[in-house]
Amino acid sequence: MNLKDVLSPLYVWKRAFEKPYTIKTLKEPRPGADRYRGFHQNDLDKCIGCGSCAEICQNVSIDMIPVSETKEGDSGLRPKIDYGRCCWCALCVDICPSGSLTMSNAYTWVEEGLDKDVRETFCFTPGVDKKPWDNEEKGYRRLEGYELSILERVKMEELAPAERVNSFIEMVKGFSKEQAKKEADRCIECGICTATCPGHMDIPGYIRAIREDDIEAGIKILYATNPLPGVCGRICTRRCEEVCSLSLRGEAVSIRWLKRYLTDSVEAEKYRDLLHDEVVPSGKKVAIIGAGPGGLSAAYYLLRMGHSVEIFEQNEAAGGMLRYGIPEYRLPYGSLDKDIDFIISLGAKVHLNTKVGRDVNFDDIYKDFDAIFAGIGLSESFKIGVEGEDLPNVTSGLNILKLVTLGQDPQLGDDVVVIGGGNVAMDAARTARHLGAKAKVLYRRRLEDMPADPVEVREAIEEDVEFITQGIPLKIEQAPDGKLDLIWGKAEMVDDGSGKRPSPVLIEGSREVMRVSKVIAAIGQGAEYGWLEGETTKQVKLGKWKIEADRWGRTDDQKIYIGGDMFNKTADAISAIADGHRSARSIDSYLAGEEYPKDRF
Amino acid sequence: MNKIYEDLSSRFTLSDYHQQRDNLAFVTVEKAQLVSAITYMRDYLKFTHLVLMTSVDWLEQGKFQLTYLLHNYELHVNFGLKVMLDRDNAVMDTIHHLWGHARVYQRELHEMFGIDFPGSPGVNEPMILESWQGPPPMRRDFDTKKYSEETFDHRPRQHVEPEDYLRQNLYPED
Amino acid sequence: MNDKYPPIVDGKSVYDLDSQKYLKMWQGPQHPGVTGNMSLELDISGDQIIKCNTHVGYLHRGFEKLMERRRYINCFPIVCRICVPEPDTNEYLFAAATEELLGVEIPERAKWLRTLDLELSRLASFFMWIGGQSGAFGSGTVAQWSIAYRDYVLDLFEELTGARIYHMYMIPGGVRGGLPEGWIQHAEKVLDGASKLLDEIYYVTFHNSVFKSRAKGLGIITPDLIDRFGVVGPNVRGSGIARDLRKDSPYLVYDQLDFNIETETAGDTYARTLVRWKEMHQSISLIRQIIMLMPKSGPLYTTLPNVLHLKVPAGETYVKAESTRGEYGYYMVSDGSEFPRKVTVRGPSYSHGMALLEHLAVGVNIADTHGLMISLHTYPPEIER
């Protein structure tokens, strides 16, 4: 042992003269670092209550609980966090699709009165229950360069614009198995889409089936709520994708294309084995007027319930608007027939070219059948309401589309103008492009106001359809060269301050002339009630716009149900399918003699 | 790696050889040959370091997989020897004479999986679970969630699934 | 042999506790010298240990079982809790094992950040250890210095990862954030201070007659023990054998960093302490190198398939890293489902703290027991998991 070893430990006394580095936390609280993972904050304006936070929490410390204030596309639930369980891992912040959930840098919480309910002790609903750290700027946010959710969708391959204008080949190519599984993997299974879908399809369910490569289970899920999945997989208006929680910060899951992938993966012949169900015949007969999506849907479910079904269709093929209103490049007839043939193969008797009120009497149907479901749709195109509308080369969008479906030449000439901004207008303009004519669209409002599907607008632009917006048609005149002169005026958007969307007002004296070979009006359609004549229809009440019926489609006559475009407000295929399904269940109860709740809205 | 495997396979009955990385491979050995194989690897192939011993419960196949992971300090490679045991009669030869810490591993495996290693010192003594009454807890048929629900009190949850909640509120009849 | 030892019959020492000549005493489970809870059941004669039995189980939380019923992403927040003083190694190894089975390569910048995080945690862990080591030999001053200074390192963690102890930073696929603004300057300051503190500690520890006399010759790990008890890490390096996974099987970016394996030859507590002290300096140097060399921009995370229903292909793997105590390993078996079939955690304390300690403790003075125990650097939480 040397002297140095004895003395050197005395060196520690040097420290006695240094400033102590103790932090006096009680007097001067030390804030957490900028990224500190402290108590939660929730931006209620963004939160949609999808429950992803509760799903990923490994400590089960997050409960979704109902709150009073909700908004559109919102489940009405908010995360309540139990700090007896929370481990501050912040995976809930990372997975939050809306980006509403964050963590503050606060880490002290003094709770008084621990004699209260144990479920309320050190638990709170961020954003709803006020806390001192609600507005704290510092704290954990998802950091740049790191993203747990998969925000980009798998790209769908489609034909190039130049390629597709030459033919009516389906432009979207569909997912391969790998692509579909990858896209299905993005779903976080919150189920908000299910509530939004008019048919309440179990969307997370069939997406899970795709992910697990169980096509059969997927098809069964589809048919539980939608007997035309192949159609909806192509042309659905997909409200589900609008509310998809991934769409808040990224792109929605391609729900429509995934549905299409499921139906494309199964051959038509296999449907029967797959969806095999023992049916006990009820001996009741139901008549269905109109073989559109609503009628077909009702037919499918009624057949499944054991009733015999006869369908009356005025056209030469079933499908309604799906066949005559949607161009082939969006919905090939083969795909449509696959779904329809399966429904008919279950035993539906179809009377084609049979118009009720012309070829067959409504009274006779009423007497022969136990119940009637009518899904006539909206077939009467609205008039533009300008002078010269009755000239020979002025027609309607639906008429053009129907002629093309029937294989007839719509005689468009080389230059057409479509008036309107809805899906029919887009279809008509694009059909004209596919037939080789130049096409313009004249719309009263701005591009962003168009009711048409934005994807269709984009595709129309890709196909060189020319858009003239804020243009109001004034008059149509016969031009000397056999063409037409469409006289129109420019409009300006006026906001009347009532909170409604701005309306177009014609600029005084504005007058433009457009020389075209055909004027196509596509500004909406109305219903036609020629079929509803006879002794037995007296009880059915007509409202201001449509026939009055409750949410089951039941009119004031117990036997008569309605559905589809003529009944619902949204007028799309999936709503019609949902109507058919709902009415079918109601008809089933009615035929079984059950009492039905009388609710109206 | 392949050389080691060839050397081993010329002496022992091996199956399921799988090279995971350049420096990591696994192979399954016959139960009766394990101790001689592992001794051979230690003494002749210079796998002098026993990294770990563990078991995987393949409940569905009725087997326990015992993994002995060895390390060679000269080649810096890991080699895993695996043995499949019957779940019903889980008895394995001890290797405590080869490595001192194998005794501890075997004691733990006995306690957690109920695999017996006759002859291993103190193998029957409880290591972690003093006064534990239930079955060996690491076996897959022991349900920890059920156990904790039966044994402990929980703060009840108030959770509502968004999908169910929406259905109840928006379309209860559909 | 000392006559204090009981007679040996058939290879076992035989003694009668009723003879009043021997005493059984317990050390722990609540002992400040242990980073965690474990107890030693000591049979002593006079003040010398003649038999030592380790008892663990005070910290058993059943992580391996918990992981069997958790999705991979949900295992990520719990693995760090396996070893309290040095959680990052667990995070890294769990992430690395999952990535390997998934076949995912993480971005370059994430590798650097992971290395940085691991070295910082090495420094923090060693600060904790050196406090225990000095405290065990009566030098509470060093313990106070080092444990207090560890908090400055934890400040760095707080700024980088958002938490002080359980960082939950290395998520499978990458890391959760880059360096915050001003972090490097702060780190430089902390590292400078650490370096200075280490020199002070050197002065009062290794030039301390008490420490020298008690630590020298205590718990000598002879080369024959090394393979027999699977000794790894600084315990091996204290016996003159240069083994370090960072050099031998480089992972992350260790192959791009400049460092040597520190060794001492004596194999006793003093040598091991010195090796660890040198490694603290080495850590500081590595952190400085990483800060200098690491890419300043680039992605941090490789997008995995949706973690809410992530399925890992069937397979098995073993990944390892050099922790402060030596080889730390994760053996992961996947059966292709959403949950790991089995994750086995190989903590170095397992062999050090149980079999080796029981062997080395025999003949040691009871006052030196925890000095010995801490010189093996055992963290009980990783023994029982």
Side-chain angles (χ1 to χ4, degrees), chain B residues 18 20-21 23-24 26 48-61 65 67 69 71 73 76-78 82 98-101 103-105 107-108 112-113 125 127-130 137-145, chain C residues 53-58 60 64-66 68-69 100-101 226-232 243 245 248-249 315-320 327 329-331 333-335 339-342 344-347 350-351 354-355 358 383-385:
Chain B
H18 167 62
Q20 172 73 16
R21 283 195 306 256
N23 57 359
L24 175 66
F26 294 97
T48 52
H49 176 44
L50 174 69
V51 178
L52 62 84
M53 260 178 86
T54 189
S55 172
V56 184
D57 186 355
W58 297 100
L59 180 65
E60 296 82 353
Q61 287 100 308
Q65 172 194 322
T67 306
L69 197 68
H71 185 248
Y73 275 115
H76 301 300
V77 294
N78 282 107
K82 299 192 286 184
L98 299 174
W99 285 282
H101 54 300
R103 177 171 63 80
V104 188
Y105 278 114
R107 201 170 135 201
E108 189 188 354
M112 292 294 178
F113 287 91
E125 288 170 26
M127 177 169 158
I128 288 164
L129 310 167
E130 267 174 51
M138 284 295 282
R139 289 193 177 204
R140 271 186 100 84
D141 39 8
F142 175 72
D143 190 338
T144 38
K145 188 146 188 258
Chain C
N53 260 327
T54 49
H55 289 268
V56 293
Y58 306 98
H60 179 68
E64 292 179 6
K65 184 82 182 176
L66 287 176
E68 283 179 14
R69 48 165 67 243
E100 187 178 319
L101 289 178
I226 288 171
D227 287 340
R228 207 170 114 206
F229 287 103
V231 185
V232 289
R243 280 180 191 165
L245 289 176
D248 298 341
S249 321
E316 58 189 324
T317 188
Y318 174 72
V319 291
K320 56 193 174 180
E327 176 180 0
Y330 266 57
Y331 172 64
V333 182
S334 168
D335 54 6
F339 311 106
R341 186 79 195 188
K342 170 85 187 173
T344 299
V345 182
R346 190 249 185 239
Y350 197 89
S351 48
M354 302 272 300
E358 287 177 10
I383 299 181
E384 49 212 83
R385 306 181 296 278

Side-chain angles (χ1 to χ4, degrees), chain C residues 44-206:
Chain C
I44 53 175
S45 164
D47 56 3
Q48 259 188 328
I49 297 166
I50 53 173
K51 187 166 171 243
C52 168
N53 260 327
T54 49
H55 289 268
V56 293
Y58 306 98
L59 266 170
H60 179 68
R61 293 144 295 168
F63 281 113
E64 292 179 6
K65 184 82 182 176
L66 287 176
M67 281 192 254
E68 283 179 14
R69 48 165 67 243
R70 270 172 170 69
R71 287 174 294 202
Y72 284 83
I73 189 70
N74 289 350
C75 293
F76 152 75
I78 66 171
V79 286
C80 51
R81 288 162 167 81
I82 290 174
C83 179
V84 190
E86 198 190 341
D88 303 83
T89 322
N90 289 285
E91 286 179 24
Y92 163 64
L93 289 171
F94 178 78
T98 312
E99 284 151 11
E100 187 178 319
L101 289 178
L102 275 172
V104 168
E105 181 76 16
I106 64 164
E108 186 67 15
R109 184 159 161 236
K111 285 185 186 171
W112 283 89
L113 281 163
R114 281 185 177 187
T115 321
L116 176 71
D117 193 51
L118 284 176
E119 283 307 317
L120 271 175
S121 88
R122 188 185 310 277
L123 196 59
S125 168
F126 272 144
F127 268 125
M128 183 111 165
W129 155 83
I130 204 167
Q133 183 73 72
S134 320
F137 290 129
S139 170
T141 316
V142 172
Q144 291 187 13
W145 289 355
S146 65
I147 305 275
Y149 205 83
R150 174 171 172 264
D151 267 66
Y152 287 134
V153 184
L154 299 188
D155 282 349
L156 291 180
F157 273 124
E158 186 183 329
E159 284 169 24
L160 175 65
T161 67
R164 295 178 75 81
I165 305 291
Y166 298 131
H167 311 128
M168 296 181 267
Y169 180 62
M170 292 181 247
I171 198 161
V175 294
R176 292 169 92 180
L179 293 183
E181 219 167 287
W183 191 87
I184 292 176
Q185 289 78 353
H186 187 185
E188 292 287 354
K189 223 171 105 190
V190 173
L191 293 179
D192 288 345
S195 187
K196 193 168 144 256
L197 180 70
L198 281 180
D199 291 339
E200 289 176 358
I201 288 175
Y202 184 85
Y203 203 60
V204 298
T205 303
F206 298 101

Side-chain angles (χ1 to χ4, degrees), chain A residues 349-596:
Chain A
K349 198 172 166 195
V350 190
H351 306 276
L352 295 172
N353 297 318
T354 310
K355 185 170 177 170
V356 177
R358 183 188 69 195
D359 307 312
V360 53
N361 204 328
F362 188 84
D363 285 348
D364 295 341
I365 296 177
Y366 193 85
K367 279 168 206 145
D368 287 351
F369 291 87
D370 298 303
I372 298 167
F373 175 85
I376 316 294
L378 307 173
S379 51
E380 295 298 296
S381 296
F382 289 148
K383 301 274 180 194
I384 316 170
V386 296
E387 200 183 316
E389 198 168 356
D390 301 325
L391 288 167
N393 274 329
V394 182
T395 181
S396 74
L398 280 185
N399 190 28
I400 300 287
L401 293 170
K402 185 170 179 178
L403 287 176
V404 172
T405 301
L406 292 171
Q408 295 170 13
D409 182 5
Q411 291 171 338
L412 292 176
D414 51 6
D415 206 349
V416 306
V417 61
V418 180
I419 297 167
N423 281 329
V424 174
M426 293 308 116
D427 286 340
R430 291 176 66 192
T431 298
R433 286 291 300 130
H434 285 245
L435 289 170
K438 274 192 204 157
K440 291 190 190 75
V441 169
L442 183 71
Y443 180 53
R444 301 194 307 152
R445 297 166 196 266
R446 295 163 300 184
L447 203 60
E448 60 263 36
D449 297 322
M450 277 197 179
D453 185 340
V455 175
E456 275 226 56
V457 177
R458 173 178 59 84
E459 285 167 0
I461 293 171
E462 282 171 4
E463 289 170 10
D464 294 332
V465 173
E466 191 187 328
F467 282 81
I468 302 165
T469 50
Q470 288 170 252
I472 297 178
L474 299 172
K475 197 176 175 189
I476 303 166
E477 285 174 358
Q478 188 69 49
D481 58 352
K483 288 191 170 185
L484 296 170
D485 277 339
L486 172 67
I487 297 155
W488 59 282
K490 284 190 180 150
E492 59 185 347
M493 301 306 291
V494 177
D495 194 344
D496 61 359
S498 65
K500 288 181 191 160
R501 62 175 185 168
S503 47
V505 174
L506 186 68
I507 298 168
E508 204 63 41
S510 166
R511 190 176 185 277
E512 311 271 336
V513 181
M514 186 192 294
R515 184 158 295 185
V516 291
S517 56
K518 199 107 178 166
V519 174
I520 302 170
I523 56 168
Q525 307 95 37
E528 173 254 346
Y529 296 112
W531 56 281
L532 195 63
E533 266 174 25
E535 280 298 304
T536 51
T537 62
K538 296 226 167 92
Q539 279 203 52
V540 178
K541 276 188 203 134
L542 277 161
K544 188 180 174 193
W545 293 103
K546 38 186 79 161
I547 298 172
E548 277 187 14
D550 65 10
R551 69 185 298 264
W552 303 95
R554 188 174 51 174
T555 63
D556 285 329
D557 189 323
Q558 297 277 311
K559 265 175 90 169
I560 304 174
Y561 289 74
I562 57 164
D565 288 0
M566 61 184 274
F567 168 57
N568 61 47
K569 296 188 189 83
T570 42
D572 54 10
I574 183 67
S575 302
I577 291 166
D579 289 346
H581 189 193
R582 213 179 284 121
S583 294
R585 278 176 291 167
S586 183
I587 292 170
D588 187 46
S589 311
Y590 164 69
L591 294 178
E594 285 170 24
E595 270 298 310
Y596 227 80

Side-chain angles (χ1 to χ4, degrees), chain A residues 5 8 11 14-15 21 30 33 35 37 55-56 58 89 94 143 146-148 185-187 211, chain C residues 70-71 74 78 152 155 158 160-162 166-167 171 176 178 197 200 207 209 212 301 306 309:
Chain A
D5 286 355
S8 66
Y11 172 83
K14 174 180 157 263
R15 284 276 185 125
Y21 41 64
R30 176 187 170 281
R35 285 183 189 177
R37 298 195 294 267
E55 179 70 20
I56 203 168
Q58 67 104 6
C89 65
D94 291 351
L143 296 163
Y146 160 66
E147 177 60 67
L148 217 52
D185 185 54
R186 297 175 60 220
C187 174
R211 202 168 58 229
Chain C
R70 270 172 170 69
R71 287 174 294 202
N74 289 350
I78 66 171
Y152 287 134
D155 282 349
E158 186 183 329
L160 175 65
T161 67
Y166 298 131
H167 311 128
I171 198 161
R176 292 169 92 180
L197 180 70
E200 289 176 358
H207 284 299
S209 54
K212 268 188 175 172
Y301 179 73
N306 195 338
H309 27 70

Side-chain angles (χ1 to χ4, degrees), chain A residues 115-353:
Chain A
D115 51 344
K116 63 181 175 184
D117 188 347
V118 69
R119 277 169 296 184
E120 299 303 326
T121 312
F122 288 114
C123 294
F124 88 117
T125 312
V128 177
D129 302 337
K130 296 294 168 230
K131 291 285 170 195
W133 52 80
D134 281 349
N135 296 317
E136 180 59 59
E137 302 249 312
K138 287 179 176 178
Y140 183 79
R141 317 273 180 264
R142 202 184 351 237
L143 296 163
E144 209 180 309
Y146 160 66
E147 177 60 67
L148 217 52
S149 317
I150 307 158
L151 296 176
E152 278 172 34
R153 47 167 71 175
V154 176
K155 216 171 151 20
M156 171 54 82
E157 285 171 45
E158 27 183 78
L159 291 177
E163 238 174 302
R164 63 194 190 221
V165 288
N166 294 327
S167 70
F168 279 83
I169 297 172
E170 187 171 23
M171 58 171 286
V172 170
K173 290 184 177 168
F175 279 139
S176 68
K177 187 168 160 182
E178 286 69 35
Q179 287 173 320
K181 281 176 89 167
K182 205 172 162 204
E183 181 65 23
D185 185 54
R186 297 175 60 220
C187 174
I188 56 174
E189 298 188 1
C190 59
I192 288 182
C193 43
T194 301
T196 310
C197 174
H200 304 306
M201 299 188 72
D202 181 8
I203 297 165
Y206 66 73
I207 291 184
R208 192 182 312 124
I210 296 174
R211 202 168 58 229
E212 284 162 9
D213 206 15
D214 190 351
I215 304 291
E216 295 188 5
I219 292 282
K220 281 182 188 155
I221 293 171
L222 291 180
Y223 269 88
T225 42
N226 184 346
L228 294 165
V231 172
C232 284
R234 287 177 167 77
I235 53 92
C236 186
T237 42
R238 55 191 200 293
R239 287 153 217 282
C240 49
E241 292 184 21
E242 280 166 30
V243 296
C244 177
S245 52
L246 285 178
S247 71
L248 294 169
R249 287 192 301 120
E251 293 173 307
V253 177
S254 304
I255 300 172
R256 177 169 57 163
W257 301 144
L258 287 174
K259 184 155 52 223
R260 171 180 162 163
Y261 163 77
L262 268 179
T263 56
D264 284 2
S265 310
V266 179
E267 287 155 26
E269 298 80 58
K270 290 211 177 131
Y271 271 25
R272 236 196 138 80
D273 303 336
L274 252 172
L275 299 163
H276 182 71
D277 238 351
E278 280 302 323
V279 175
V280 186
S282 67
K284 305 275 184 184
K285 280 165 76 186
V286 183
I288 287 171
I289 305 174
L296 289 166
S297 166
Y300 174 81
Y301 291 107
L302 288 166
L303 286 164
R304 288 271 138 164
M305 291 161 183
H307 310 297
S308 66
V309 168
E310 286 187 35
I311 305 175
F312 298 90
E313 167 60 44
Q314 61 167 335
N315 287 311
E316 59 188 32
M321 259 329 155
L322 300 176
R323 185 179 302 275
Y324 296 104
I326 296 175
E328 196 182 357
Y329 57 84
R330 281 178 63 206
L331 177 60
Y333 303 128
S335 307
L336 178 63
D337 289 338
K338 184 178 169 187
D339 283 358
I340 293 176
D341 289 350
F342 174 62
I343 295 171
I344 291 172
S345 76
L346 294 171
K349 198 172 166 195
V350 190
H351 306 276
L352 295 172
N353 297 318

Side-chain angles (χ1 to χ4, degrees), chain A residues 82-122:
Chain A
D82 176 348
Y83 289 98
R85 287 179 165 177
C86 177
C87 75
W88 281 270
C89 65
L91 283 178
C92 49
V93 176
D94 291 351
I95 198 75
C96 180
S98 66
S100 69
L101 198 66
T102 52
M103 275 173 148
S104 71
N105 69 344
Y107 56 88
T108 45
W109 175 356
V110 180
E111 180 112 343
E112 281 174 21
L114 290 183
D115 51 344
K116 63 181 175 184
D117 188 347
V118 69
R119 277 169 296 184
E120 299 303 326
T121 312
F122 288 114

